[in-house]
Amino acid sequence: MKEALKGNIVHAPVLGELSIVERGYLLLEDGVIAGIEQTLPQGYDGVVRDYGERLILQSFADMHLHAPQYPMLGMGMDLPLMEWLQRYTFRTEARFADLAYARRIYRRLASDLITNGTTRVCMFSSLHTEATWILMEELEKAGVTGYVGKVNMDRNGAPGILEETTEESERETLRWLEGCHFEHIKPILTPRFTPSCSDELMGWLGQLAEERGLYVQSHLSESAGEIELVARLHPECQRYWQTYEKHGLWKDHTLMAHCVHSDAVERQAMKDHNVVVVHCADSNINISSGICPVKKMLQEGLWVTLGSDIAGGAQLPMYRVITTTIRTSKVRQIMDDWKTDFLTVAEGYYLGTTAGHRYFGAGAGFAVGDPLHAVVLDDSDFVEATRPLSVAERFERAMYMTHRHNITAVWSEGRCVVER
Ligand code: GUN
Ligand code: FE
């Protein structure tokens, strides 16, 4: 089926550069991008969806969030990471043994994600197998695509509340993988982080990743207290990343959330192994972890993506996460005595879209041959400006000012999954 979406198209094929086609046509064939044109091809025989003056933007990729922390959104951000986990987080995640509760929360989360334009995710579930399947099913039904992981954690959890034995963790991981047959939501191995996983479990997961060709997601160098604990638990490793590397978990496409305190050596190890940084600016400030040197990472050529890190982060919409990322880069500039640059809006947009979509095999921006992942944004209720705005200005304002109701259509994997 041939379709053409008409509107003001703004995408980011290259870091720091916007590509804009005003009143253009995004051509689709069976949901796959066939081209972007200023005018319709002669004799065009497809269906035209006319979005008028609206903006047609890339949809967002949230590369790190914790689904079972959604109920604690906006609460309990008065403690640093290790204390925050023990006081609030583990208890909240433990609730997901209750499958009726899991269904309600995960249905709400899936709906909130898609209506805010997040069409691709890499997500942590809890350690519960059944609830993880429910999460995957609800995301699939809502039109969200990507990876979900049943969490592995066999030490330093909350014994009797939220912790597995090594044997349970391995057995449940295999059982969980057996039950994953969703079309658009795939499994990813998810050792919570080094303090939560014994060497035996990490080694077993590394082997499983290798045998089954699975990707891995975890956390790295987020906070000072965590880094000290890892150093105590692993005197044999000079740096945190080596606790993953020694078990085969430090490899191409491994997602590492945070990396706030990764030094030059750790950052080089990421680059060398194509490990992906997931920067979570809102979370890093909420639980006082630190200010990540994102601009420096980009200059060093690292693959940096963005995550909401719900519920360390308290903002689910990625357009908010993008602007918080930009603000935080300015805090970093101030901390660095004005020696580093801040992120531009075009850079923030790239990180929240193209950089994440690439993880799933997509090309740059709205690339020909990719199934469409897009949002249509109606900014007509924003305050009247002093003069007519360019599309670039409207785009900038949309990043900062959008509310959910401004997103009037969402396309995910070539399907229109939200329309209002
Ligand atoms: N490190 C280990 N678990 C977590 C978590 O749930 N949230 C964050 N922000 N960091 C973690
Ligand atoms: Fe996290």
Side-chain angles (χ1 to χ4, degrees), residues 64 66 69 124 219 222 257-258 309-310:
H64 181 79
H66 298 261
Q69 295 173 21
F124 281 48
H219 295 91
E222 177 179 0
H258 305 295
D309 194 28
I310 301 303

Side-chain angles (χ1 to χ4, degrees), residues 26-229:
L26 185 51
L27 303 176
L28 300 180
E29 280 179 29
D30 295 324
V32 173
I33 300 169
I36 296 177
E37 301 291 346
Q38 189 63 69
T39 53
L40 269 189
Q42 266 210 328
Y44 185 76
D45 58 356
V47 177
V48 178
R49 297 206 190 208
D50 189 351
Y51 291 121
E53 283 301 316
R54 293 176 191 182
L55 301 171
I56 301 176
L57 310 179
Q58 290 174 259
S59 68
F60 304 104
D62 188 343
M63 301 301 286
H64 181 79
L65 73 161
H66 298 261
Q69 295 173 21
Y70 202 43
M72 55 187 268
L73 192 77
M75 293 188 291
M77 291 172 286
D78 56 342
L79 290 172
L81 176 65
M82 300 310 290
E83 293 78 5
W84 176 82
L85 288 171
Q86 287 293 340
R87 172 82 64 88
Y88 307 114
T89 315
F90 291 158
R91 280 156 214 278
T92 306
E93 293 193 13
R95 272 291 273 135
F96 288 77
D98 176 343
L99 302 186
Y101 183 72
R103 179 73 69 186
R104 291 199 299 279
I105 301 304
Y106 289 157
R107 184 165 292 172
R108 173 67 190 266
L109 172 62
S111 165
D112 289 348
L113 281 166
I114 202 73
T115 54
N116 276 301
T118 299
T119 65
R120 281 184 166 127
V121 294
C122 288
M123 195 182 274
F124 281 48
S125 179
S126 56
L127 56 73
H128 308 98
T129 301
E130 276 76 12
T132 304
W133 287 328
I134 289 172
L135 172 60
M136 296 170 93
E137 195 180 306
E138 290 300 329
L139 292 170
E140 177 93 43
K141 274 201 266 181
V144 181
T145 70
Y147 293 99
V148 167
K150 172 222 171 307
V151 166
N152 297 99
M153 45 187 299
D154 70 342
R155 64 173 179 179
N156 300 314
I161 298 170
L162 191 80
E163 198 172 77
E164 317 161 293
T165 65
T166 310
E167 190 274 328
E168 276 166 353
S169 190
E170 296 175 3
R171 172 165 43 83
E172 286 301 303
T173 299
L174 293 177
R175 190 167 77 83
W176 166 62
L177 288 172
E178 286 297 306
C180 289
H181 11 248
F182 302 95
E183 192 184 348
H184 297 105
I185 298 287
K186 301 294 175 195
I188 183 166
L189 295 183
T190 307
R192 183 170 204 120
F193 66 159
T194 298
S196 295
C197 297
S198 65
D199 268 315
E200 187 185 337
L201 181 56
M202 294 270 248
W204 184 85
L205 288 167
Q207 216 170 2
L208 188 67
E210 163 89 22
E211 282 167 17
R212 304 218 182 170
L214 293 166
Y215 288 158
V216 174
Q217 59 179 353
S218 195
H219 295 91
L220 182 73
S221 298
E222 177 179 0
S223 78
E226 168 207 13
I227 294 166
E228 279 162 31
L229 176 59

